[in-house]
Amino acid sequence: MDEPGVRSRADAVVGWRYWQVTPSGRLRSVTQRRIEWPPGKVMRATCVVAGHRAPDERCDCGVHGSPDLETLRQHGLCLAQEPLVVGRVALWGKVVRDHEGWRGEYGEPVHLSLVRELVLGEELDGVSAALGAYGVPVDTMPLGDAVAGVTAAALAYQAMAERASRTPAE
């Protein structure tokens, strides 16, 4: 490393994070819902609050990654009804440590797992195929492995309600 906290792409930190899937099949931040991750491109962090270079130690900006899946499960909160992806992300450039993992200047997905229960059965293959545009391994993961606690219960309820609304009444 040339200076403290700056990593090359070859020396990237790999963390865990959540994404949602847009109707067009792109990954989207769960907290900054207008930020999509274009396939085949590196994501460069920007500070949407203060406009400074990201990440900054005095802010919460940057591309986030948790050190392991269990930390992500305990601290990640995503309650939207879109399909959910849990995956690993490579972080490089300026990388800072925070209380839940790391925040990086640059990031790109390295592995994606689509949460099965949050995608209707007939749409699962299509969403998985769309995620293939990112050029990384794509598989599925059960909801109970992807999220924990109140988040898991809320997402399971939403999925059940969505399925019930699409089932014709007898």
Side-chain angles (χ1 to χ4, degrees):
M1 292 194 308
D2 296 332
E3 65 182 85
V6 176
R7 296 178 161 274
S8 70
R9 191 174 189 175
D11 190 33
V13 172
V14 177
W16 289 81
R17 65 170 289 128
Y18 292 124
W19 288 276
Q20 289 171 320
V21 181
T22 68
S24 64
R26 287 190 163 188
L27 296 174
R28 174 176 53 210
S29 170
V30 297
T31 57
Q32 302 296 325
R33 294 180 52 85
R34 64 178 183 78
I35 297 178
E36 290 186 5
W37 290 55
K41 306 250 188 228
V42 171
M43 175 60 73
R44 182 169 189 189
T46 58
C47 182
V48 296
V49 175
H52 54 72
R53 182 176 175 215
D56 187 287
E57 292 84 356
R58 299 171 305 256
C59 190
D60 195 33
C61 59
V63 178
H64 289 250
S66 293
D68 52 58
L69 180 56
E70 190 54 34
T71 300
L72 178 65
R73 285 168 33 94
Q74 296 306 316
H75 296 284
L77 183 64
C78 43
L79 297 175
Q81 293 182 0
E82 289 90 359
L84 180 67
V85 172
V86 59
R88 293 189 307 275
V89 60
L91 306 172
W92 71 93
K94 182 177 180 184
V95 177
V96 298
R97 194 115 171 100
D98 72 11
H99 60 284
E100 294 173 11
W102 305 279
R103 293 180 286 118
E105 179 178 6
Y106 300 101
E108 67 183 347
V110 296
H111 188 270
L112 303 172
S113 295
L114 182 59
V115 178
R116 286 191 296 261
E117 291 85 346
L118 301 181
V119 181
L120 293 175
E122 66 274 6
E123 298 170 359
L124 187 62
D125 289 340
V127 174
S128 292
L131 293 175
Y134 287 90
V136 301
V138 176
D139 57 24
T140 61
M141 179 182 286
L143 178 64
D145 291 349
V147 294
V150 173
T151 302
L155 288 172
Y157 177 79
Q158 287 176 0
M160 180 186 68
E162 176 67 19
R163 282 186 174 75
S165 73
R166 291 190 180 206
T167 303
E170 293 186 52

